[in-house]
Amino acid sequence: MASSDFTVQKWKDGHTDTILCLDSNNNGVTASGGQDGLCCLWTPEGALMDRLDKFDDDVTSLCFCQKDASKFFLSTGNSVMSYDLKNLKEPLFCCSFNQDEINQIALNSNEELLASCDDAGQIKVINLRDKRVHKTLRKHSNICMTVKFRRKKQWELVSGGMDERVIQWESGRGQVQRILNMQEYVQEAPSGTYMVNPPLIHCVDISRNDRFLACALENATVQVFEFREIGRASCRERV
């Protein structure tokens, strides 16, 4: 694709330190969170429209609602908060169920459940209607970096962490459905390269048709799996 297809803009005057996360709603409003403890809101044109009061900890993850574009969730420290763009003075909801710093949050498809994964390796599945923990998922032996709900199976989610494992869960019963050890998929590095980083999982995402799972690894590869009902998922590697 030619570079002329893109218009480059520099959004400035928001953050003073590293930006850790971004999300945009259906109207083009973007929220950004950073190590400066700030959450900034930007217009589709890139103008700073508002900024939340500075938090004590990094803003590590952001997630807009699809059903109501004015509402979004953020994580900072071990807390999850929700806000409404129409009134940013006070959060709509705040909870601190996680034991350690949260790395990522995710909403399920009907936006009744929110998952938050943390440095303790745990995932809290929060029932947003009752504002309580529905399940605590414990299987990672190290930091859990990333979590994502499946799009067509609202109780199923996938997590990945610094233990080199991707875990597929049924969160309703808190059951593990499948564990993928990324060491099993490590291949010899291409000729002329020297790869020493282990296959730690930093991010996972699921395709819109709910068929494919992509895992971004520290060893500079992306592993792509196809969901199947029984047995191990098929895999292909991209470098």
Side-chain angles (χ1 to χ4, degrees):
M1 186 176 291
S3 59
S4 59
D5 294 336
F6 296 93
T7 300
V8 178
Q9 293 181 333
K10 183 177 181 180
W11 296 6
K12 57 183 181 179
D13 301 325
H15 291 277
T16 60
D17 206 338
T18 304
I19 297 173
L20 299 175
C21 54
L22 292 167
D23 198 25
S24 298
N25 68 9
N26 293 330
N27 298 325
V29 174
T30 296
S32 60
Q35 288 184 339
D36 51 9
L38 294 176
C39 175
C40 299
L41 286 307
W42 310 83
T43 68
E45 295 74 32
L48 183 65
M49 57 184 283
D50 214 328
R51 183 162 50 192
L52 297 182
D53 290 339
K54 186 178 177 68
F55 296 102
D56 293 334
D57 297 294
D58 301 349
V59 177
T60 54
S61 186
L62 289 156
C63 187
F64 270 102
C65 296
Q66 296 297 309
K67 293 181 179 180
D68 185 345
S70 68
K71 294 180 181 178
F72 67 97
F73 291 83
L74 65 81
S75 61
T76 178
N78 69 333
S79 299
V80 175
M81 302 178 185
S82 68
Y83 285 88
D84 192 318
L85 293 176
K86 297 187 289 291
N87 182 10
L88 295 170
K89 292 182 179 179
E90 297 290 338
L92 300 172
F93 166 67
C94 179
C95 67
S96 300
F97 296 129
N98 289 77
Q99 294 181 359
D100 215 328
E101 183 177 44
I102 296 170
N103 294 306
Q104 191 172 39
I105 57 176
L107 286 167
N108 75 338
S109 57
N110 65 10
E111 300 182 357
E112 293 181 358
L113 299 175
L114 182 143
S116 56
C117 62
D118 63 26
D119 280 358
Q122 297 185 6
I123 304 159
K124 299 291 184 180
V125 180
I126 302 167
N127 184 315
L128 294 175
R129 285 186 173 181
D130 298 337
K131 295 180 174 56
R132 62 176 178 84
V133 175
H134 171 72
K135 289 290 182 183
T136 298
L137 308 179
R138 301 181 180 92
K139 199 68 176 180
H140 287 285
S141 59
N142 206 324
I143 295 169
C144 185
M145 289 295 298
T146 179
V147 64
K148 196 80 172 181
F149 279 98
R150 294 193 65 180
R151 298 175 187 273
K152 296 182 180 180
K153 297 186 177 182
Q154 62 187 25
W155 288 99
E156 288 190 18
L157 60 86
V158 176
S159 62
M162 298 290 101
D163 55 2
E164 304 176 358
R165 297 193 296 176
V166 172
I167 303 178
Q168 183 179 347
W169 306 83
E170 203 288 331
S171 65
R173 296 185 295 271
Q175 294 180 343
V176 173
Q177 295 183 310
R178 185 176 301 147
I179 297 177
L180 301 174
N181 188 336
M182 292 299 105
Q183 280 288 355
E184 298 178 9
Y185 300 94
V186 172
Q187 298 179 2
E188 199 170 309
S191 177
T193 64
Y194 182 62
M195 192 67 65
V196 296
N197 292 336
L200 311 179
I201 299 99
H202 285 270
C203 186
V204 297
D205 203 4
I206 297 171
S207 62
R208 290 187 179 277
N209 63 7
D210 211 36
R211 285 183 58 196
F212 299 99
L213 165 69
C215 308
L217 309 184
E218 189 162 323
N219 65 357
T221 67
V222 176
Q223 301 286 354
V224 181
F225 300 87
E226 183 174 3
F227 285 106
R228 293 178 180 175
E229 294 302 320
I230 301 175
R232 193 170 71 176
S234 62
C235 170
R236 59 181 182 272
E237 182 178 1
R238 299 175 181 174
V239 178

